[in-house]
Amino acid sequence: MAKPPILMPAPLSDGVVVALDERFTLHRLWQQDDRDAFLTKVGPDIVGLAATTLAGTIDATWLDRLPALEIIASFGVGYDNVDAKAAAARGVVVTNTPGVLDDEVADLTIGLLLATLRRIPQADAFVRAGRWPSGPFPLSPTLRGRRVGIVGLGAIGKAIARRLEAFDVAIAYHGRSRQDGVAYCYYETPVALAAASDVVIAIVPGNSGTRHLIDGAVLAALGPEGVLINVARGSVVDEAALVAALQDGTIGGAGLDVFEDEPRVPPALLAMPNVVLLPHIGSASVATRAAMGQLVVDNLVAWFDGRPALTPVPETRTLNRAGAHRFA
Ligand code: NAP
Ligand code: 8YV
């Protein structure tokens, strides 16, 4: 039987490519000289797509060129790089990679929080610049006694909260609704949470409902000693408002793993001493990225074995039925 034809618009890891090559006819779009002509040629046959945020957004325009598509397996738990509603409307299942990265992202978040408050990168730069013999590094703010507000107490938010419990800090959260069985204090709005917090950590999905959820009003409520940590998506924070708030002392500092226009970072942030900037590395360890890649492969294999995909996103869950694939 012919192998199902799969399209990979942008490169995933070698391990994923090797695994998909074994089981599918894998088309590597990024290696084509004329991608448009290639898509016109193979697009009508493609039944599966292995997507990453590097490929831009898989939207209706993409889907129009892939009329036989059955499944989009996206690399990452956030799937703002796929128009899942447009996919659902065409009967296309979308999968993401939840769960396998929760602890890794939570570890990184705690590291970023401590790095921001205790100015760890700045202290390292101070030593490397040979400035220590001339005097001590300036004293930093502290995590001690801080109240931490988590915007988005989902799988990763809870993993962050569990770690914070060991730091003896007060923990509160905001989401669209209060969660049963959660003892942390709930706030109905991000502004109310920020007003009751000294640190706000954003870890919600990026979508139209969360765009600029952290705006000027939230930053004003956080206050001059307050610190924002964003490990969610750049779109969740009004970046212009954040730059202004850091410049005029509305808040005290920020630790940012994500930005509105990645990989571009506002030059104003680069010049600030009270921010720590990371290149979207929340899940970026060898082991965790391998686990995420394996889940992309496993979703595609399950689907084309005639089983439901393993981790369909909510928008396409009802389409995800055993034997529902059309490839023959
Ligand atoms: P999850 O388990 O689905 O949790 C998402 C949380 O966000 C839920 O608690 C949800 O609570 C809340 N939420 C959703 N929409 C909201 C809204 N409009 N307003 C307020 N709260 C809202 O997702 P997860 O696995 O924890 O991942 C969360 C996000 O983290 C991903 O989507 C991704 O964007 C980001 N992420 C970043 C990195 C990185 O490298 N920096 C790595 C992994 C993930 P309610 O339903 O109660 O509102
Ligand atoms: C990935 C992420 O690095 O899972 C997510 O939502 O943001 C990260 O783990 C990213 O999606 C890879 O492109």
Side-chain angles (χ1 to χ4, degrees), residues 214-217 219 237-248 250 260:
I214 310 292
D215 59 8
L219 298 171
V237 174
D238 180 343
E239 212 164 66
L242 174 62
V243 168
L246 287 162
Q247 278 170 337
D248 67 14
T250 298
E260 280 199 292

Side-chain angles (χ1 to χ4, degrees), residues 76-80 96-99 101-102 104-106 108-109 112 150-160 173-179 186 188 190 202-211 213 230-236 256-258 262 279-284 289 292 314:
V77 65
Y79 54 96
D80 42 315
N96 63 344
T97 61
L101 41 52
D102 299 348
E104 199 73 80
V105 179
L108 190 281
T109 305
L112 180 56
I150 300 176
V151 177
L153 194 71
I156 301 173
K158 288 191 175 79
I160 294 168
Y173 74 103
H174 162 73
R176 287 166 298 184
S177 50
R178 184 191 302 271
Q179 297 186 31
Y186 173 71
E188 277 184 8
I203 184 68
V204 283
N207 56 40
S208 55
T210 59
R211 186 177 150 69
L213 196 61
N230 186 12
V231 283
R233 282 290 182 268
S235 62
V236 171
L256 307 171
D257 185 42
V258 288
E262 292 174 14
H280 199 150
I281 57 165
S283 67
R289 285 289 171 84
M292 292 162 65

Side-chain angles (χ1 to χ4, degrees), residues 29 34-45 65:
L29 184 63
D34 186 341
R35 295 177 195 190
D36 191 56
F38 185 77
L39 215 45
T40 300
K41 193 173 117 204
V42 305
D45 297 325
R65 305 196 69 177

